[in-house]
Amino acid sequence: MASKRPKKFVKHGVEITYLCGGEVPYVCMETGSPFHEYASSMLQAALSSGMKADGLYGYCNDSRVQSELHRIHLRPADYMLAEVKQKKLSHVKAAGGTKFPPASGTKTRSASKKAVAMGKTRVISKGYRHGTRDKYSKKYRTKGRPGLARYLVNFKRGDYVDIVADPSIQKGLPYSFYHGRTGIVFNVNRNALGVEMTKIVGNRQLRKRIHVRIEHVRKSRCNESFLHRVKENDKKKQQAKKEGKSIVCKRIPEGPKEMKTVDASPDDVEVLAPLPFVENYF
């Protein structure tokens, strides 16, 4: 036979559902109820105690009561089960919460519909462009599609390029990991470039090769100082060859500073020492 439905008492914004044959009440109270502000004083008056309401009861677990609460579609996060701390009334238990149990005969909604009803309309994104709202955003007055100068840049194999994803162009958009990475061009196609770079995975360094459209690629300035130094060294070598001299273009690290002796007169020397302790009597 089916179990009997629990009895209910509803009045003045308070709903009491009697569980376990009327032994344990489940109290659900609206915030606008006139009893909401005086709940603690009513508990003190019922137990004839002047202690704070928090010290009159303690939380507990009871599988029999929890199964009854589960039967009326209440989860453990929806209620709290407490018992009276007084020895004479230690058998008195009650459950409370802010969620009213559904009426009999109504069907419970699925978890997704419940989440939407509670205001959770966004799920954890795991898409191709997740987490790039700020990462791909452009600066002020630079939004929109790229200009013509972006397409007129000449790329050659061996060039260093920076991958900077342009969110206004969805074609050939690289994965967000490669945004801001620097690589070397190994292939030049009509609309895209093959870029090779290093990716650290665990304790390994992998050589990754991807093809990216030219809208998402810019020439890198990482080796500008190197190229400038090469040109200067070539000029120095040509000049030295004309003069019949030999020069060394290697960069020599700066060594330690030269030795020097510091002389000071005895009057200029100050010895730092702690001050003597002087006991004051006030």
Side-chain angles (χ1 to χ4, degrees):
M1 294 177 64
S3 59
K4 296 181 180 180
R5 294 176 182 175
K7 297 180 180 180
K8 288 187 179 182
F9 170 83
V10 182
K11 200 168 187 179
H12 301 299
V14 179
E15 180 176 326
I16 303 177
T17 305
Y18 295 98
L19 308 172
C20 303
E23 296 179 8
V24 181
Y26 171 73
V27 182
C28 188
M29 189 181 302
E30 294 180 354
T31 55
S33 173
F35 300 104
H36 186 268
E37 298 181 1
Y38 306 103
S40 58
S41 59
M42 286 190 298
L43 180 61
Q44 292 171 343
L47 297 177
S48 301
S49 175
M51 294 177 58
K52 288 186 177 181
D54 296 342
L56 296 175
Y57 64 91
Y59 299 110
C60 65
N61 292 321
D62 192 327
S63 58
R64 187 167 63 102
V65 180
Q66 289 173 346
S67 62
E68 287 279 335
L69 291 168
H70 181 70
R71 190 167 58 86
I72 59 175
H73 310 293
L74 290 175
R75 298 175 300 172
D78 299 332
Y79 62 86
M80 298 296 292
L81 184 60
E83 62 182 359
V84 180
K85 286 187 175 180
Q86 292 184 8
K87 293 183 178 180
K88 295 180 180 179
L89 301 174
S90 59
H91 63 281
V92 178
K93 298 179 181 179
T98 57
K99 184 177 179 182
F100 291 92
S104 58
T106 57
K107 296 182 179 179
T108 56
R109 294 177 291 180
S110 61
S112 60
K113 291 183 179 180
K114 285 182 180 179
V116 172
M118 295 170 62
K120 185 180 178 183
T121 58
R122 186 175 181 273
V123 297
I124 299 174
S125 174
K126 295 183 180 179
Y128 186 72
R129 293 180 65 169
H130 79 277
T132 58
R133 179 187 290 263
D134 297 328
K135 195 173 186 178
Y136 285 175
S137 62
K138 294 184 176 181
K139 294 181 181 179
Y140 177 63
R141 296 184 67 135
T142 60
K143 302 181 187 298
R145 299 178 68 83
L148 187 62
R150 185 82 63 84
Y151 297 93
L152 298 179
V153 181
N154 291 325
F155 294 97
K156 299 178 182 179
R157 285 186 295 179
D159 289 348
Y160 285 87
V161 293
D162 296 331
I163 299 176
V164 181
D166 191 337
S168 62
I169 306 295
Q170 280 74 40
K171 280 190 175 181
L173 187 71
Y175 185 59
S176 60
F177 170 83
Y178 301 104
H179 177 73
R181 307 281 173 172
T182 302
I184 303 175
V185 178
F186 71 91
N187 187 24
V188 180
N189 292 338
R190 184 181 65 175
N191 297 322
L193 296 176
V195 184
E196 184 180 24
M197 70 199 73
T198 303
K199 181 178 181 181
I200 297 176
V201 180
N203 58 351
R204 299 169 294 163
Q205 289 188 359
L206 306 180
R207 299 298 295 175
K208 302 287 289 188
R209 284 190 168 191
I210 61 173
H211 278 79
V212 191
R213 286 181 71 95
I214 57 176
E215 292 92 337
H216 310 292
V217 174
R218 300 176 189 178
K219 282 202 170 182
S220 179
R221 300 181 61 185
C222 63
N223 62 340
E224 266 188 358
S225 60
F226 168 73
L227 297 175
H228 181 68
R229 191 171 68 252
V230 168
K231 289 181 181 180
E232 286 187 346
N233 291 342
D234 290 342
K235 290 180 181 179
K236 291 178 183 178
K237 289 177 183 178
Q238 291 176 2
Q239 187 67 22
K241 189 175 182 181
K242 290 180 182 179
E243 297 176 358
K245 299 178 182 179
S246 61
I247 60 170
V248 178
C249 296
K250 289 184 178 181
R251 292 177 293 172
I252 300 174
E254 185 179 357
K257 295 181 179 179
E258 296 181 358
M259 182 190 69
K260 61 181 180 180
T261 305
V262 179
D263 294 328
S265 62
D267 298 335
D268 297 335
V269 177
E270 293 184 7
V271 179
L272 300 178
L275 297 173
F277 175 71
V278 178
E279 194 168 355
N280 295 323
Y281 298 95
F282 296 107

